[in-house]
Amino acid sequence: MKYLIKLTPLEPYFFGGENTFRIAGASSLISESYYISSLPLPSQTTILGMLRYVLLEQNYLLNTDRVYEDRSKQNELIGEKAYMVDADNRLGKIRSVSPLFIMDNKGEKYIPAPLNHDAVHSFYSPLEMSDTVISTSHGSIHVPKDYDIKSHGRFLGETSYMRISDKAIVSDIFESCERVGIDKNKKDEAYFKKLYMYLKKEYCFAVAAELDTKISDTVCYMGREKSCFKLNAEPLCDSYDITKEIEEVCGDGVWYAFSDLLLKKHIKYTDYSIVKTGTLRTLSSSYDSNNKLKIRPSEKLYNVIKAGSVFYFDVASEDYFYNDTYGLNKLVKLGG
């Protein structure tokens, strides 16, 4: 059965990443003041981890001491291992999960604004491409008309979203607040600031999930400090696919990254593209000799092309990315 799972923050949250710490006003790696900023969104792997936890909890299979002598029921429900990038993932009765998107209280859906949007317009307006081919370090490619790196280099912020129904670009979905933290490992000058994020009250995070089990409304926790979220689960039509709504958006037939794309190999850029890059580190799970569950960050760090990136060539036909099942590596062709 498919569910629309909506996640509404009940307090400011903090989602970290590989580069969470920013050094404030420093020209070297040594600084007396630190500024730690939350990411605006939970990662897809955070969503998957939360779903697995909630299903265990609602099926009375959660051991708070993490000791599992007979793991068969847990494995059947949520799979034997956490999500792994380069593996054939089987997360038990979690059949599939869509990439994360945002909804408002009117049911409108929002996705990361495509990076080929000309930021001078308030509605999605793809850069107009020239028929002229120029020689670059990546080979001969097309570029936007009247190309000027100063004007066309104005990338949208990571909190800019496109409303699917009318293609409006919205940038005021998120708010933030600062709090003071204390570094317990230092004796002097151990204070730093933390920037927490939260959604305006009319918005929530959402995913579409196909499950072979029931899920009920509850309260769940995500982020480095286990921030509190209200989880609402609404039944969906089995044929529902949000990508079909996105494909109908007017565009130049560009390939759009609906989710983060995890690179399997280096991309051969045969034409114009606008991409943002990042990294992702997943969690690994294992059991010790006492059958206690151990969860730790995996050693491998993956290169990622961020959601919202666009390609003006058929990047989907090559084996550049890992397979999409649980909301990562999802490419959509704008304009069908």
Side-chain angles (χ1 to χ4, degrees), residues 119-334:
V120 300
H121 300 286
S122 59
F123 290 82
Y124 174 53
S125 303
L127 297 173
E128 189 175 357
M129 298 298 290
S130 168
D131 293 330
T132 304
V133 176
I134 66 170
S135 179
T136 72
S137 58
H138 288 290
S140 297
I141 65 173
H142 296 86
V143 294
K145 286 186 176 180
D146 304 319
Y147 182 79
D148 176 7
I149 187 61
K150 290 184 178 180
S151 60
H152 289 103
R154 52 172 182 264
F155 289 116
L156 290 164
E158 61 181 338
T159 56
S160 293
Y161 277 72
M162 181 180 72
R163 189 163 57 221
I164 297 177
S165 63
D166 61 2
K167 298 172 287 184
I169 302 297
V170 181
S171 300
D172 60 349
I173 293 175
F174 297 88
E175 293 187 339
S176 61
C177 62
E178 289 184 350
R179 295 178 181 175
V180 174
I182 300 175
D183 184 350
K184 296 180 180 179
N185 296 321
K186 292 183 178 181
K187 295 181 179 179
D188 301 318
E189 299 174 341
Y191 295 98
F192 57 87
K193 287 185 178 180
K194 301 182 73 172
L195 184 71
Y196 288 74
M197 304 287 290
Y198 56 98
L199 293 167
K200 291 188 174 180
K201 65 179 182 179
E202 65 265 34
Y203 296 101
C204 66
F205 298 124
V207 293
E210 184 178 1
L211 309 174
D212 287 338
T213 186
K214 292 182 179 179
I215 187 170
S216 304
D217 294 353
T218 187
V219 171
C220 63
Y221 302 88
M222 294 189 293
R224 289 197 169 186
E225 299 182 8
K226 305 299 182 185
S227 298
C228 187
F229 288 76
K230 180 175 69 174
L231 185 153
N232 295 107
E234 302 173 4
L236 279 173
C237 172
D238 286 343
S239 61
Y240 178 78
D241 185 355
I242 188 174
T243 60
K244 296 186 183 301
E245 297 180 47
I246 300 171
E247 286 172 347
E248 297 175 359
V249 173
C250 294
D252 297 329
V254 299
W255 286 97
Y256 161 79
F258 179 24
S259 70
D260 287 352
L261 308 174
L262 280 72
L263 287 169
K264 185 188 297 184
K265 63 180 181 180
H266 181 68
I267 296 177
K268 182 179 180 182
Y269 288 90
T270 58
D271 211 334
Y272 191 69
S273 63
I274 308 177
V275 301
K276 281 185 178 179
T277 60
T279 56
L280 174 70
R281 192 186 302 276
T282 59
L283 296 176
S284 62
S285 58
S286 60
Y287 293 87
D288 63 18
S289 58
N290 296 316
N291 292 308
K292 186 170 184 177
L293 177 62
K294 300 290 186 181
I295 299 175
R296 59 178 62 86
S298 61
E299 295 181 0
K300 189 170 182 179
L301 187 65
Y302 292 90
N303 292 319
V304 169
I305 289 179
K306 302 296 290 181
S309 299
V310 295
F311 304 87
Y312 281 81
F313 57 95
D314 190 6
V315 70
S317 65
E318 299 290 340
D319 193 25
Y320 291 128
F321 312 111
Y322 291 98
N323 293 332
D324 163 56
T325 307
Y326 293 104
L328 287 164
N329 311 313
K330 188 66 175 179
L331 280 163
V332 178
K333 193 171 185 180
L334 298 186

